[in-house]
């Protein structure tokens, strides 16, 4: 079992808030994440012992693990996601709104004692390069070791974040608890005025990894509106022509519509001589630079992608990226401890499906959940742009816009 550590900070604002949240949630112990490799090893061992992780075959996928979520908790809950501003108009026309006081009262009742018997993980984290003036700092409190290990991939956690915070009170306060994972008691709430996120009742990535959609997109977009920049749901790529001319392209597409495949595209034969490299596949922070050009950074440090449909034809770079040190969630498991999902070559044997049940070849039911995911470190990517973590960002040449249609566009 992990041993609770003394708080590695003297920041009175942070210590006071952690104490206040702990008194509400009542965890058995508090563990402060430092982001070290040794800590990652210990957390992973604990996750395996607790049955949260299943190790995959180290010969096939070294350093990789398989995980299942509750079957009622497999996607973002947009209908239960709220922006809690003083007035409904401030939340914007595309967001659900809840009065801030009503939201705090409703969620506090669910949080009360929700972490009894559990560990509260304190995860200081940075979205954006540590040496970038645009990086945003948050602290997530969670009772999910799955969240702690995924946040380690998707952000920079631990000491690097605390060093940047120092004694400041300027950090996002994120509280997350799986609680009883009851869909009737599931909420993801954002309080932009207070730089606060409260999420309860879900362990799914988009609802639980608070640095991703919650901070880097929703809270960031509110902050950007008031500070004169943009936080966008966009991929970023570097395109180098045969003549050596480099362009940086942004692309706005909804989830599961090819954004990741485009960001990781291998040039087809018709574009021989072109080189495409990935900067990011999901979120872009954009600012006008001193030279008048639009610059963009990817604030994430990993890829949290949809697995089904990903294969060596649609996204060979992603498949190579997934060969080691990844987390797979709600895909199917093979008899030899590897992963499988729809879109890959037909399995050689029967499988264990995403619910943990036997799956026969030829079954009409999907073996992997349609929204099953992989979490992969950015460093795994075989065609990662050298500009991926440029603290200033890259100058955008063009922005592509796309969407999903059930039929052809007239």
């Amino acid at each position: 079992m992990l041993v609770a550590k003394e708080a590695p900070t003297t920041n009175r604002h942070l210590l006071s808030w952690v104490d206040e949240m702990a008194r509400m949630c009542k965890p058995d112990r508090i563990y402060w994440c430092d982001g070290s490799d040794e800590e990652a090893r210990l957390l992973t061992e604990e996750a395996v012992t607790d049955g949260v992780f299943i190790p995959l075959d180290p010969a096939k996928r070294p350093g990789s693990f398989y995980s299942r979520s509750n079957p009622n908790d497999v996607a973002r809950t947009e209908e239960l996601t709220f922006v809690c501003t003083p007035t409904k108009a401030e939340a914007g026309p595309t967001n659900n709104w809840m009065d801030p006081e009503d939201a705090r009262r409703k969620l506090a009742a669910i949080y009360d004692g929700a972490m009894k018997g559990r560990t509260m993980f304190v995860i200081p984290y940075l979205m954006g390069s540590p040496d970038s003036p645009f990086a945003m700092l948050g602290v997530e409190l969670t009772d999910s070791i799955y969240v702690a290990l995924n946040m380690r991939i998707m952000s920079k956690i631990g000491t690097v974040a605390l060093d940047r915070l120092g004694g400041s009170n300027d950090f996002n306060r994120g509280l997350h608890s799986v609680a009883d994972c009851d869909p009737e008691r599931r909420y993801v709430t954002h309080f932009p005025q207070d730089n606060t996120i409260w999420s309860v009742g879900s362990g799914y990535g988009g609802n639980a990894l608070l640095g991703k959609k919650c901070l880097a997109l929703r809270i960031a977009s509110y902050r950007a509106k008031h500070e004169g920049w943009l936080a966008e749901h966009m991929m970023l790529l570097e395109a180098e022509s045969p003549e050596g001319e480099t362009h940086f392209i942004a692309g706005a597409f909804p989830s599961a519509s090819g954004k990741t495949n485009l960001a990781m595209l291998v040039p087809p034969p018709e574009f021989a001589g072109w080189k495409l490299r990935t900067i990011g596949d999901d979120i872009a922070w954009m600012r006008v630079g001193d030279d008048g050009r639009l610059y963009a950074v990817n604030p994430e440090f990993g890829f949290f992608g949809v697995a089904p449909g990903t294969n060596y034809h649609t996204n060979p770079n992603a498949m190579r990226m997934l060969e080691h040190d990844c987390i797979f969630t709600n895909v199917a498991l093979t008899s030899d401890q590897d992963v499988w999902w729809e879109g890959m070559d037909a399995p050689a044997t029967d499988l264990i499906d995403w619910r943990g049940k036997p799956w026969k070849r030829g079954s009409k039911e999907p073996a992997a959940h349609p929204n099953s995911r992989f979490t992969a470190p950015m460093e795994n990517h075989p065609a990662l742009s050298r500009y991926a973590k440029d603290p200033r960002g890259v100058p955008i040449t063009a922005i592509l816009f796309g969407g999903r249609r059930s039929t052809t566009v007239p």
Side-chain angles (χ1 to χ4, degrees), residues 8-49:
T9 179
T10 58
N11 185 307
R12 61 184 180 86
H13 309 288
L14 176 55
L15 293 172
S16 174
W17 172 67
V18 171
D19 180 66
E20 180 186 358
M21 297 299 101
R23 281 187 279 111
M24 177 169 63
C25 297
K26 302 176 179 62
D28 280 14
R29 66 195 69 83
I30 298 174
Y31 180 88
W32 289 74
C33 294
D34 61 26
S36 67
D37 290 341
E38 174 63 11
E39 175 182 84
R41 184 185 67 79
L42 293 172
L43 287 173
T44 301
E45 289 177 356
E46 181 108 341
V48 171
T49 299

Side-chain angles (χ1 to χ4, degrees), residues 19 46 51 70 82 89 125-126 142 172 204 206 231 241 243 318 321 371 376-377:
D19 180 66
E46 181 108 341
N70 189 308
F82 298 89
Y125 67 92
L126 280 173
T142 179
N172 180 268
Y204 169 76
S241 73
E243 295 74 33
M321 179 179 73
N371 195 43

Side-chain angles (χ1 to χ4, degrees), residues 88 111 153 177 182 217 238 248 257 410:
K88 187 174 183 179
Y111 281 128
I153 294 175
S177 175
D182 182 352
L217 201 53
E238 173 196 352
F248 298 100
S257 63

Side-chain angles (χ1 to χ4, degrees), residues 77-388:
T77 52
E78 297 293 351
E79 72 280 7
L80 298 175
T81 299
F82 298 89
V83 175
C84 305
T85 47
T87 66
K88 187 174 183 179
E90 289 176 272
T94 60
N95 292 311
N96 300 315
W97 176 79
M98 190 186 301
D99 177 81
E101 292 306 313
D102 288 347
R104 289 184 185 277
R105 186 166 50 251
K106 181 178 291 189
L107 270 68
I110 304 172
Y111 281 128
D112 187 14
M115 295 188 186
K116 285 181 179 178
R118 304 177 185 178
T119 299
M120 173 187 277
F121 296 94
V122 183
I123 310 172
Y125 67 92
L126 280 173
M127 301 301 293
S129 295
D131 56 346
S132 171
F134 309 130
M136 293 180 69
L137 196 150
V139 179
E140 176 167 1
L141 311 181
T142 179
D143 55 7
S144 168
I145 197 168
Y146 172 88
V147 168
L149 285 162
N150 275 270
M151 282 291 287
R152 175 183 169 82
I153 294 175
M154 297 304 299
S155 63
K156 289 294 184 185
I157 73 166
T159 303
V160 65
L162 287 179
D163 287 348
R164 174 143 176 165
L165 178 62
S168 172
N169 192 31
D170 184 16
F171 63 95
N172 180 268
R173 290 158 164 81
L175 177 62
H176 167 258
S177 175
V178 178
D180 54 8
C181 206
D182 182 352
E184 299 299 318
R185 288 154 46 91
R186 181 173 296 160
Y187 297 95
V188 184
T189 58
H190 308 73
F191 304 85
Q193 274 81 5
D194 302 328
N195 198 13
T196 294
I197 302 162
W198 279 14
S199 175
V200 69
S202 171
Y204 169 76
N207 302 325
L209 309 182
L210 301 187
K212 191 169 173 58
K213 291 292 195 289
C214 293
L215 176 61
L217 201 53
R218 298 192 189 104
I219 292 290
S221 64
Y222 185 93
R223 179 169 163 178
K225 178 182 177 182
H226 290 81
E227 296 177 359
W229 51 283
L230 299 167
E232 298 297 330
H233 193 197
M234 291 185 179
M235 68 90 201
L236 295 169
L237 65 81
E238 173 196 352
E240 182 182 334
S241 73
E243 295 74 33
E245 189 175 275
T246 298
H247 299 279
F248 298 100
I249 313 298
F253 301 84
S255 293
S257 63
K259 196 162 70 278
T260 295
N261 287 352
L262 179 58
M264 300 184 183
L265 186 68
V266 174
E270 295 83 357
F271 289 86
W274 281 82
K275 297 175 183 177
L276 300 180
R277 305 180 185 96
T278 306
I279 296 173
D281 77 326
D282 196 42
I283 297 173
W285 291 347
M286 296 176 156
R287 289 172 170 82
V288 176
D290 293 338
D291 59 2
R293 293 189 291 176
L294 182 66
Y295 284 76
V297 299
N298 166 26
E300 300 186 286
F301 288 86
F303 300 98
F304 183 69
V306 175
T310 304
N311 55 55
Y312 281 100
H313 174 69
T314 61
N315 197 334
N317 279 329
M319 294 300 287
R320 288 192 286 271
M321 179 179 73
L322 300 178
E323 291 174 356
H324 62 93
D325 299 300
C326 294
I327 298 169
F328 298 89
T329 305
N330 290 342
V331 298
L333 193 62
T334 67
S335 59
D336 57 354
Q337 295 302 100
D338 198 7
V339 290
W340 187 89
W341 52 79
E342 279 69 21
M344 296 174 69
D345 292 340
T349 64
D350 294 341
L351 306 168
I352 301 298
D353 75 6
W354 68 275
R355 296 181 181 89
K357 298 178 180 179
W359 184 89
K360 298 289 185 182
R361 285 176 293 171
S363 172
K364 294 182 179 179
E365 291 292 317
H369 189 275
N371 195 43
S372 54
R373 295 280 174 159
F374 57 77
T375 316
M378 178 175 280
E379 293 77 14
N380 279 18
H381 195 318
L384 186 68
S385 170
R386 68 184 186 277
Y387 301 104

